[in-house]
């Protein structure tokens, strides 16, 4: 007998615990698992697995905070809505800009990551890699202009592929693991481990991505937290397993760190394993890029409507009624970022620190909102304070990239004041 759909005056309450867990896993595990394990190992050596272990534990209070806030304040605005509710429009808008200015850098990184996995197999040079990345971004922008949306079935396939390829990578790498690859354990000093932990944050963003669906949760007060706990455990186990085997097989180093997962699988399966990973990686990157470009273009439109962004950000396509202005802004940024990467003015590992910093700042804003909005919830208050101390304490170790959100906030505040005087 088919289960009845629980409904209220608003949206249908159709998302039960298994669907919620799948949504969270799909939101959190993405391109990071293709890129970060190798880069973290290159930065901190075998000691990078300590950073993974610590991050897996410390990120839990942050995930719980996002889960509780999404249950109480369901909105497509995500963390910016929480901040706006707690501290007003000015700070909510700043957090909105943090997200918007993460995507112009983050999306090209996704495109290049997917292209790198093909390049490893086909022996491509930089020209082919960046041409492929540009084609990926162009295709996704066109999809968003036409108003295409990723169906729930497609996301389920993506999640299944991610989990399957991670399990395959770990199992395939087991015969090639060696204790000798764990020495020296801390080749670059303990500071590199803390810096690696900051880089790992890229892998744990996404808890806020499901907040706009919380209105459709069946019993959100109960299932939002249970969903977070189950998914956080699964995500942590998968990430740590891949990171551990990356070190154990020494599938990282100059020229291969950005495609460490492919290197691991090919140790046993050869070129076939490389193709399996490459196709899956490409699919993951396209799906993730589509989600973030779609969200960022709509945030651009929203900020323009609130007169906190240039008016042309709010342009809509005459036929499809899609956010053309926001997509145009993102496209211009993509050209600049890909050009900078192609010319070698900055490398991928360094560039990823910028959107990582703005996501960091977004979560700090969410934790601050949680401290105020969850003060009547003992467990929620503890989770919010714990995650706030954790994110603020780790933030300075982001290095120079920590200035990026501060510059965004300063420019926005100055612009707002000038508009008020005019």
């Amino acid at each position: 007998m088919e289960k009845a759909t629980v409904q209220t005056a608003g949206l249908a309450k159709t998302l039960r615990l298994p669907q919620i867990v799948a949504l969270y896993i799909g939101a959190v595990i993405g391109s990071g698992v293709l890129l970060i394990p190798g880069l973290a190992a290159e930065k901190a050596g075998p000691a990078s697995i300590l950073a993974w272990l610590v991050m897996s534990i410390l990120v839990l209070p942050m995930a719980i905070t996002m889960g509780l806030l999404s249950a109480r304040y369901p909105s497509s605005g995500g963390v910016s809505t929480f901040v706006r509710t707690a501290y007003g429009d000015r700070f909510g808008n700043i957090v909105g800009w943090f997200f918007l200015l993460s995507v112009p850098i983050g999306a090209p990184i996704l495109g290049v990551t997917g292209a790198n996995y093909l390049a490893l197999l086909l022996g491509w040079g930089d020209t082919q890699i960046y041409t492929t990345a540009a084609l990926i971004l162009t295709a996704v922008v066109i999809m968003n202009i036409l108003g295409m949306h990723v169906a729930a079935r497609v996301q389920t396939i993506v999640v299944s592929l991610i989990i399957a390829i991670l399990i395959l990578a770990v199992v395939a790498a087991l015969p090639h693991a060696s204790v000798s690859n764990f020495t020296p354990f801390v080749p670059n000093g303990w500071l590199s481990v803390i810096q690696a932990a900051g880089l790992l944050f890229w892998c744990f963003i996404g808890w806020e991505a499901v907040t706009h669906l919380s209105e459709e949760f069946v019993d959100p007060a109960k299932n939002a937290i249970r969903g977070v706990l189950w998914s956080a455990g699964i995500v942590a186990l998968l990430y740590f397993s891949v990171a551990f085997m990356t070190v154990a097989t020494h599938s990282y180093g100059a020229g291969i760190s950005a495609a460490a997962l492919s290197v691991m699988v090919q140790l046993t399966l050869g070129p076939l394993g490389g193709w399996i990973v490459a196709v899956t990686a490409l699919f993951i990157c396209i799906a993730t890029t589509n989600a973030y470009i779609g969200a960022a273009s709509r945030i651009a439109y929203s900020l323009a409507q609130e007169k906190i962004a240039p008016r042309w950000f709010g342009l809509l396509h005459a036929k499809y009624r899609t956010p053309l202005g926001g997509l145009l802004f993102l496209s211009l940024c993509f050209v600049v970022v890909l050009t900078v990467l192609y010319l070698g003015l900055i490398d991928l590992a360094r560039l990823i620190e910028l959107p990582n910093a703005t996501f960091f700042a977004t979560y700090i804003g969410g934790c601050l909102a949680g401290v105020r909005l969850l003060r009547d919830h003992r467990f929620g208050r503890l989770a919010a304070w714990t995650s706030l101390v954790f994110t603020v304490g780790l933030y300075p170790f982001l290095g120079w990239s920590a200035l990026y959100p501060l510059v965004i906030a300063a420019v926005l505040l100055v612009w707002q004041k000038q508009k008020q005087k005019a």
Side-chain angles (χ1 to χ4, degrees):
M1 182 175 177
E2 189 172 330
K3 292 182 179 179
T5 298
V6 181
Q7 287 184 299
T8 65
L11 295 172
K13 305 286 187 179
T14 58
L15 297 176
R16 300 180 183 277
L17 183 60
Q19 291 79 32
I20 294 170
V21 172
L23 283 167
Y24 274 122
I25 292 174
V28 177
I29 292 188
S31 66
V33 77
L34 303 172
L35 184 64
I36 304 301
L39 295 179
E42 187 174 348
K43 181 182 287 287
S48 62
I49 61 174
L50 295 180
W52 283 101
L53 182 61
V54 171
M55 281 293 292
S56 297
I57 296 171
L58 292 180
V59 80
L60 185 58
M62 185 172 62
I64 291 172
T65 301
M66 294 298 107
L68 286 171
L69 287 172
S70 67
R72 286 193 176 191
Y73 306 95
S75 169
S76 60
V79 178
S80 63
T81 295
F82 307 152
V83 175
R84 182 175 286 107
T85 303
Y87 300 106
D89 290 342
R90 172 178 294 180
F91 295 104
N93 289 333
I94 289 175
V95 171
W97 270 100
F98 285 163
F99 181 84
L100 176 59
L101 293 182
S102 299
V103 177
I105 301 174
I109 290 173
L110 292 173
V112 173
T113 299
N116 268 325
Y117 272 79
L118 288 176
L120 191 66
L121 294 172
L122 300 174
W124 282 353
D126 286 348
T127 299
Q128 292 96 327
I129 290 173
Y130 289 103
T131 299
T132 302
L135 289 174
I136 291 172
L137 293 171
T138 301
V140 172
V141 169
I142 291 173
M143 285 166 58
N144 275 274
I145 291 175
L146 297 176
M148 296 178 67
H149 301 284
V150 179
R153 281 182 300 178
V154 175
Q155 180 165 354
T156 301
I157 292 172
V158 172
V159 173
S160 300
L161 282 171
I162 294 172
I163 293 176
I165 201 65
L166 295 186
I167 294 174
L168 174 66
V170 171
V171 173
L174 283 173
H176 303 276
S178 173
V179 175
S180 63
N181 289 326
F182 288 88
T183 55
F185 190 67
V186 194
N188 302 320
W190 287 104
L191 180 60
S192 67
V193 180
I194 301 176
Q195 292 171 335
L199 181 63
L200 264 51
F201 194 81
W202 176 265
C203 288
F204 291 96
I205 60 175
W207 301 109
E208 84 290 350
V210 187
T211 58
H212 68 286
L213 296 174
S214 57
E215 189 177 344
E216 299 171 68
F217 287 3
V218 174
D219 192 4
K222 180 180 179 181
N223 284 336
I225 297 303
R226 291 174 66 191
V228 162
L229 291 175
W230 272 105
S231 55
I234 294 171
V235 165
L237 182 61
L238 290 171
Y239 270 145
F240 185 79
S241 298
V242 172
F244 186 87
M245 294 309 298
T246 298
V247 172
T249 59
H250 206 286
S251 299
Y252 62 94
I256 63 172
S257 292
L261 196 63
S262 181
V263 174
M264 283 173 55
V265 175
Q266 288 187 72
L267 290 174
T268 298
L269 299 181
L272 175 62
W275 277 108
I276 293 172
V277 175
V279 172
T280 305
L282 198 61
F283 189 36
I284 290 170
C285 289
I286 290 173
T288 308
T289 302
N290 183 53
Y292 276 98
I293 288 178
S297 61
R298 282 151 182 82
I299 287 177
Y301 172 78
S302 176
L303 291 171
Q305 295 297 104
E306 295 179 22
K307 303 188 188 313
I308 198 63
R311 185 180 300 174
W312 62 272
F313 277 28
L315 291 175
L316 293 176
H317 192 282
K319 179 179 179 181
Y320 300 110
R321 308 302 293 171
T322 47
L324 191 62
L327 291 169
L328 176 60
F329 166 71
L330 292 173
S331 299
L332 293 173
C333 292
F334 295 159
V335 172
V336 173
V337 173
L338 286 177
T339 301
V340 167
L341 282 170
Y342 178 73
L343 294 177
L345 301 179
I346 187 171
D347 60 37
L348 197 66
R350 184 71 66 178
L351 185 64
I352 200 173
E353 295 175 359
L354 289 176
N356 192 48
T358 46
F359 280 122
F360 232 109
T362 298
Y363 274 93
I364 289 175
C367 295
L368 283 168
V371 166
R372 174 168 289 188
L373 299 177
L374 299 174
R375 58 180 179 269
D376 60 335
H377 190 296
R378 190 172 73 174
F379 189 51
R381 184 174 67 248
L382 177 62
W385 272 110
T386 302
S387 53
L388 178 62
V389 171
F390 157 58
T391 49
V392 171
L394 197 56
Y395 190 81
F397 292 98
L398 296 178
W400 66 274
S401 64
L403 298 175
Y404 182 48
L406 300 180
V407 170
I408 294 172
V411 170
L412 189 59
L413 289 173
V414 169
W415 186 49
Q416 286 178 315
K417 287 183 178 180
Q418 288 182 339
K419 283 194 66 176
Q420 289 173 354
K421 291 179 180 178

